[in-house]
Amino acid sequence: MSKRLLALLSVLTIILAGCAGLPRAGEPQVVEKSEQYAGGVVLDPQGPAKDASAEDIVSGFMRASSAGFSDDFVVARQYLTPEAAATWNPTTQVRIYPDSQNQSVTQTRSGAYRVTVGAGGILDTAGRYTASAPDAVLTMEFSLLRDVDGQWRIAVLDDGVTMPESLFQSLFAEAPIYFLSADQTTFVPDLRWYPRADMQTALAQGIIDGPSSWLSSSVRTILPADTTLGTPTVKVDGSTAIVDLRAQHANLSESELTLLYAQFTKTYSSMPNISDIDLRLNGSVVKIPSKIDLQSYPYSAYKLLALLNGNPVTVGEDKVTPLMDAAVTQGLQLTDLAVGYTETPSWIAAIGNEGTTIYHIEIATETVATIYSGTQLVPPSVDSDAYVWTSEESGTGELVAISTSNFDVRKLSAPWLEGATIRHIAISREGARIALLVERDDSVQLLLAGIQRERDGTPIAIGDPVRYGQRLTDISDIAWVSDARLVAIGKSVSSPEGGLFSVPLGAPIASMSTVDGMVHLTAGRGDESIILETTKSELFTYDAGAWRLISTGVTAPTYPG
């Protein structure tokens, strides 16, 4: 049969708050108030019409199931046979497609109905969002039969639901679940998406369930493995969330309870209507002698560094100041810098000698030490424990971390890098994650992996990676701007000539305003910290939504990290 395009507005009935819906035909009806979500979106799923065609049943089910979070999928199940209604699980997966895409319904040779639409992303049952590749397509198949009354009903279907991105953004909200770093001094976010209507319960359950597998070896979980919620839902009394936990093996120390309370407080900070946590364990209120507030993005104000004719300088408004005498770095052929997290840098790391050598340069004494040599190295990144990270560009299956206290070299196995080309690495501010740009088979991927450390900060292992930024077709540089977001110079289907992109770790990417000829970037905290370098050796800063020139003639702009 011919294709039928389902317009985006047919996915849900959207009625502006305060307006009433009018029946199109039939006897006058009592119209009950439909459930309203953020942004004035009202969901009013309709059941199957009498004598509806098989295709109309499929289309109606797609509309009702996408709106099913408003009625616990009661209406959507009316489109199914009793057997299918009893087994269909709509919450295992949310399939998301861009608003610009329209669903197409066709019939297969077997008589089943197939719905296809360009993919945007997938949300799993734990609330983890994975973006789809630009050319990915969502495909859902439905087999129907007639019931005893001769009405078409769906007998076979996939679990999960499908909806456009605008509806997804209305029904779900992004919320980071925070876990402790290995040294228990900072929090590490694990971004999730939960239904707005059940957010307060989902946040507590997210902490109980623990971090995503790729992050699990890099963070610490205080709650015992047998912890459950003592009540079906987390109640909110005024602006206080009442979280009742139950665990048989809950022998937590006072310091652990303090950290646990801080974890719940930090996680619930994403809910503006909640300002306090009433935390209970096995029915007893958790008493905290003093509250602590741990950061998730330990970054302060730092000087901007760069290279001027191969010599390290600080960059100010229309002014550059050498960090040392040019003779110190003469002949080193420095091309990139990395600097630690101190207000006034006492040392810098740099790559030079045609990309084969990592140098450690003491600023006060103007002394240079070679701390690592290789064939063709990746520009260095420095973590919060003062380790300098690099690797061979041609992936050898390992990453290198060099201590700046004693120049001890640690080689950490990462077999998933074998055979790849590594373009860039960037350690997160708290030091629990590493971001890498990896090229393999003419495809560039942004990969994140966990860094396992001893309590003293010594890196001991690299976990398996997870991919982000799948909508980008190419990426040449990245930098951290928040605890759960990077910025990237790259290309996409809609920006084939290149652009600047915001890349959240578990949310859709967004394009940003750009500067012509971007080749390199660095960033600190937030978008207004972004510094862009162009092919003309110009540096631009993001200021009040526009790019402003701050320096010329310098290269390799560098903030700590």
Side-chain angles (χ1 to χ4, degrees):
M1 62 177 295
S2 62
K3 291 187 178 181
R4 178 187 178 198
L5 295 181
L6 301 177
L8 175 62
L9 292 179
S10 70
V11 179
L12 73 160
T13 301
I14 300 180
I15 307 172
L16 295 179
C19 296
L22 298 177
R24 297 182 179 180
E27 296 298 320
Q29 304 172 34
V30 175
V31 179
E32 296 182 357
K33 183 178 180 181
S34 302
E35 185 146 0
Q36 181 170 316
Y37 285 80
V41 175
V42 177
L43 303 179
D44 187 18
Q46 301 296 312
K50 182 176 174 60
D51 297 327
S53 68
E55 185 175 339
D56 285 341
I57 290 297
V58 171
S59 302
F61 172 77
M62 294 296 291
R63 291 192 294 270
S65 62
S66 67
F69 289 94
S70 66
D71 68 347
D72 198 25
F73 302 94
V74 171
V75 173
R77 294 183 194 276
Q78 295 174 16
Y79 288 85
L80 311 180
T81 65
E83 295 79 11
T87 58
W88 175 58
N89 186 348
T91 63
T92 59
Q93 188 181 78
V94 179
R95 298 174 287 268
I96 305 149
Y97 60 90
D99 292 343
S100 59
Q101 297 289 315
N102 291 321
Q103 297 180 37
S104 173
V105 181
T106 57
Q107 193 169 14
T108 67
R109 292 182 179 180
S110 66
Y113 284 82
R114 177 178 296 150
V115 179
T116 58
V117 64
I122 300 290
L123 192 75
D124 69 13
T125 187
R128 291 180 288 258
Y129 177 95
T130 301
S132 301
D135 57 351
V137 175
L138 297 174
T139 302
M140 292 70 63
E141 288 198 3
F142 304 88
S143 295
L144 290 83
L145 54 77
R146 293 186 184 272
D147 63 14
V148 294
D149 297 320
Q151 303 297 309
W152 286 108
R153 293 296 181 263
I154 298 171
V156 180
L157 75 166
D158 296 325
D159 286 336
V161 297
T162 305
M163 63 180 65
E165 187 172 322
S166 57
L167 179 57
F168 172 71
Q169 296 277 359
S170 295
L171 295 179
F172 290 77
E174 61 178 286
I177 304 296
Y178 287 97
F179 299 95
L180 283 166
S181 59
D183 61 3
Q184 302 182 25
T185 61
T186 58
F187 281 123
V188 183
D190 192 355
L191 193 62
R192 310 292 177 87
W193 289 82
Y194 295 127
R196 295 179 186 273
D198 194 36
M199 179 67 75
Q200 65 269 20
T201 302
L203 290 176
Q205 192 62 55
I207 293 175
I208 292 171
D209 292 342
S212 298
S213 58
W214 74 272
L215 196 59
S216 59
S217 63
S218 307
V219 297
R220 183 169 178 228
T221 300
I222 294 177
L223 284 175
D226 65 346
T227 303
T228 60
L229 277 175
T231 56
T233 60
V234 171
K235 304 297 184 183
V236 178
D237 184 6
S239 60
T240 300
I242 303 171
V243 182
D244 185 10
L245 305 175
R246 301 299 169 93
Q248 293 183 357
H249 306 91
N251 299 318
L252 301 181
S253 66
E254 185 176 276
S255 62
E256 288 176 321
L257 289 174
T258 300
L259 291 169
L260 182 63
Y261 183 86
Q263 180 186 18
F264 273 86
T265 300
K266 181 69 172 177
T267 297
Y268 273 84
S269 65
S270 63
M271 295 192 68
N273 62 316
I274 293 178
S275 59
D276 197 12
I277 305 293
D278 180 354
L279 188 61
R280 304 176 184 183
L281 186 58
N282 293 330
S284 299
V285 175
V286 175
K287 297 180 179 179
I288 307 299
S290 60
K291 298 180 181 180
I292 60 173
D293 183 18
L294 303 183
Q295 296 186 65
S296 60
Y297 196 71
Y299 191 92
S300 300
Y302 300 100
K303 294 180 179 179
L304 176 64
L305 273 58
L307 288 172
L308 175 62
N309 299 322
N311 190 44
V313 296
T314 59
V315 180
E317 292 288 343
D318 301 317
K319 180 182 179 181
V320 295
T321 304
L323 285 172
M324 61 198 69
D325 191 287
V328 176
T329 56
Q330 187 176 4
L332 298 183
Q333 300 175 289
L334 303 185
T335 56
D336 286 278
L337 302 175
V339 62
Y341 292 86
T342 55
E343 184 175 348
T344 300
S346 60
W347 57 268
I348 56 175
I351 187 171
N353 194 20
E354 298 182 343
T356 64
T357 307
I358 302 294
Y359 298 104
H360 180 275
I361 305 172
E362 289 283 351
I363 296 174
T365 60
E366 297 188 338
T367 55
V368 179
T370 296
I371 58 175
Y372 192 74
S373 297
T375 303
Q376 192 66 48
L377 299 175
V378 177
S381 178
V382 175
D383 67 22
S384 54
D385 289 295
Y387 279 84
V388 177
W389 291 74
T390 187
S391 71
E392 290 287 348
E393 281 189 3
S394 57
T396 59
E398 64 183 15
L399 293 166
V400 177
I402 308 123
S403 170
T404 55
S405 62
N406 57 14
F407 299 159
D408 176 52
V409 175
R410 304 187 67 86
K411 295 186 176 181
L412 307 178
S413 176
W416 39 273
L417 289 174
E418 290 183 6
T421 298
I422 305 171
R423 290 187 177 184
H424 188 84
I425 61 176
I427 309 297
S428 61
R429 307 302 185 191
E430 84 294 327
R433 299 162 293 170
I434 181 172
L436 306 97
L437 294 182
V438 176
E439 183 177 359
R440 190 191 302 271
D441 299 328
D442 298 323
S443 172
V444 178
Q445 300 180 355
L446 170 58
L447 302 180
L448 269 288
I451 302 173
Q452 186 177 351
R453 296 178 184 265
E454 301 283 8
R455 288 289 294 270
D456 65 0
T458 303
I460 57 176
I462 303 293
D464 290 330
V466 62
R467 185 181 178 186
Y468 290 102
Q470 290 92 331
R471 306 294 287 183
L472 297 177
T473 57
D474 191 17
I475 313 172
S476 59
D477 203 2
I478 53 173
W480 292 89
V481 288
S482 79
D483 60 5
R485 185 166 65 93
L486 296 107
V487 287
I489 297 175
K491 298 178 182 180
S492 68
V493 172
S494 59
S495 300
E497 299 303 318
L500 185 67
F501 297 88
S502 172
V503 186
L505 303 183
I509 66 170
S511 60
M512 304 174 66
S513 64
T514 62
V515 172
D516 290 340
M518 297 178 299
V519 293
H520 183 64
L521 65 82
T522 188
R525 179 191 294 272
D527 291 346
E528 293 199 353
S529 70
I530 300 172
I531 303 293
L532 293 179
E533 176 193 344
T534 71
T535 53
K536 298 178 181 180
S537 298
E538 300 168 322
L539 299 188
F540 288 84
T541 184
Y542 197 62
D543 188 0
W547 293 101
R548 179 170 57 86
L549 180 67
I550 60 170
S551 187
T552 60
V554 295
T555 60
T558 304
Y559 279 126

